[in-house]
Amino acid sequence: MLVLGIETSCDETAVALYDSSKGLLAHRLYSQVDVHAEYGGVVPEIASRDHLRKLLPLIREVLDAEGLKRTAIGGIAYTAGPGLIGALLVGAAVARSLAWAWNIPSVAVHHMEGHLLAPLLEPEPPEFPFVALLVSGGHTLLVDVRGVGSYQVLGESLDDAAGEAFDKTAKLLGLGYPGGPALARLAEEGDAGRFHFPRPMTDRPGLDFSFSGLKTHALNALAALEGTPQDKADIACAFQEAVVDTLVLKCRRALRETGLGRLVVAGGVSANRTMRKKLQAMAESERCRVYFPRPEFCTDNGAMIAFAGCRRLLAGQFEASAIEARARWPMDTLTGA
């Protein structure tokens, strides 16, 4: 089956073609970062309008790239949630309309399931079961994964997600938008020994996270200083170390509690080089193996949606003709494929 994947959950318009026999054929992405930068964050209405403007041209582009006509497509997968409801509705409406017009099935894909399965697109994919750490701007989850759709959430953030905390702290430091990658770059210039930020919720049992207090810690540290470039670099370094160390500790705890020997790390923050290095070292010490998606598939992309949708379509799952999107969608409500 050849599946067209559509991703419009936030500020990136992405499409891809995935063939169940040949693998990923083509993918394209248009980022709205420059559009939202002047506002310091994503403006939902602008995001929705930009998805409308870019989605159909991108679909034509991936088809033309492979010399394919629309009659070659056997199914459509689209992100139905969680995310910005207006942005999601753009992708859902286009996907359902094309599926109806072309008389092919379509399937709604959970955005975080797409991220979770992204490492399966790599040449050496992980086998089930495994522990998954999903870290993005909107979510931080630890999941016991037994198969596609068989998920048990082990822990999650009780307030800000890791990526959200990165972005907010970057804004405090005057780094602009998008803040997470800018803070990570600045942290490389910082002195790791100057400040010590707490590792939240690591002194108690459990696998939940809390990162909102680290923003306050960064704000208080900055207020006590002159705010020189080096001050900001040192604060960025201390903040990043605290977030990464917390994630590493909780991953180690999850691996030990489940007895599993594989860890999958996905989502936008999974591109962070410090986190990759420390998780790799932890996995080696635990005699486990850690899997990451390639950097271009860490952020939102159509390839992960096409792949996840293909698995579900081949299992006989598809949507009715109603156009539906969900701003919130608990991951543990998904069924197997």
Side-chain angles (χ1 to χ4, degrees):
M1 176 181 281
L2 178 63
V3 176
L4 172 68
I6 295 174
E7 157 61 27
T8 62
S9 64
C10 190
D11 61 342
E12 288 166 321
T13 314
V15 297
L17 291 171
Y18 182 85
D19 187 284
S20 57
S21 298
K22 300 177 182 178
L24 182 64
L25 300 183
H27 63 98
R28 296 290 187 276
L29 181 142
Y30 168 73
S31 175
Q32 301 177 4
V33 166
D34 292 341
V35 176
H36 299 285
E38 64 178 295
Y39 303 100
V42 178
V43 181
E45 178 65 18
I46 293 176
S48 301
R49 290 177 181 274
D50 223 28
H51 288 311
L52 277 171
R53 185 169 63 92
K54 284 292 184 177
L55 188 51
L56 287 176
L58 283 178
I59 292 173
R60 295 190 191 99
E61 189 175 329
V62 293
L63 287 171
D64 291 344
E66 294 299 308
L68 296 171
K69 297 187 179 297
R70 59 91 175 169
T71 51
I73 298 175
I76 300 179
Y78 62 95
T79 303
L84 300 177
I85 192 63
L88 291 167
L89 281 169
V90 172
V94 170
R96 286 297 309 135
S97 299
L98 291 178
W100 181 82
W102 297 346
N103 194 29
I104 57 176
S106 67
V107 65
V109 174
H110 191 289
H111 180 71
M112 296 311 294
E113 179 177 64
H115 277 302
L116 185 152
L117 298 177
L120 273 68
L121 288 163
E122 299 304 313
E124 297 184 17
E127 296 180 357
F128 298 110
F130 54 76
V131 171
L133 171 66
L134 303 178
V135 276
S136 69
H139 301 84
T140 302
L141 296 168
L142 273 169
V143 187
D144 184 340
V145 181
R146 299 290 162 168
V148 177
S150 180
Y151 310 129
Q152 179 187 356
V153 176
L154 302 172
E156 58 189 326
S157 181
L158 303 180
D159 39 58
D160 289 350
E164 184 180 7
F166 262 91
D167 287 340
K168 289 181 177 179
T169 302
K171 193 170 185 177
L172 291 175
L173 297 175
L175 301 182
Y177 173 83
L183 187 147
R185 288 192 295 270
L186 182 62
E188 294 179 357
E189 304 172 11
D191 177 0
R194 183 177 178 188
F195 300 103
H196 180 78
F197 284 20
R199 275 57 174 164
M201 297 184 69
T202 58
D203 58 348
R204 67 190 76 175
L207 296 169
D208 288 331
F209 303 92
S210 174
F211 295 112
S212 63
L214 291 177
K215 302 194 311 287
T216 305
H217 212 81
L219 179 62
N220 291 339
L222 184 63
L225 302 169
E226 295 181 5
T228 66
Q230 189 59 51
D231 289 338
K232 293 181 179 181
D234 294 343
I235 290 171
C237 183
F239 171 85
Q240 178 173 262
E241 291 290 314
V243 172
V244 170
D245 286 351
T246 300
L247 293 170
V248 171
L249 186 147
K250 293 299 178 82
C251 285
R252 178 186 286 113
R253 189 177 292 176
L255 289 167
R256 290 178 178 179
E257 290 184 7
T258 60
L260 296 175
R262 288 179 288 272
L263 174 67
V264 163
V265 185
V269 184
S270 68
N272 183 284
R273 290 187 292 184
T274 298
M275 187 180 73
R276 287 193 175 214
K277 181 180 179 180
K278 289 198 172 188
L279 282 173
Q280 187 68 55
M282 180 275 294
E284 291 175 2
S285 70
E286 295 291 317
R287 297 183 179 179
C288 297
R289 186 169 178 184
V290 61
Y291 298 83
F292 300 96
R294 69 194 76 169
E296 64 188 305
F297 292 159
C298 290
T299 55
D300 295 349
N301 63 87
M304 67 184 191
I305 302 304
F307 175 75
C310 185
R311 295 289 295 262
R312 292 191 169 275
L313 287 166
L314 288 174
Q317 299 180 18
F318 59 90
E319 304 301 315
S321 48
I323 297 173
E324 184 178 3
R326 310 175 193 180
R328 297 183 180 275
W329 190 359
M331 196 167 185
D332 51 12
T333 63
L334 296 176
T335 57

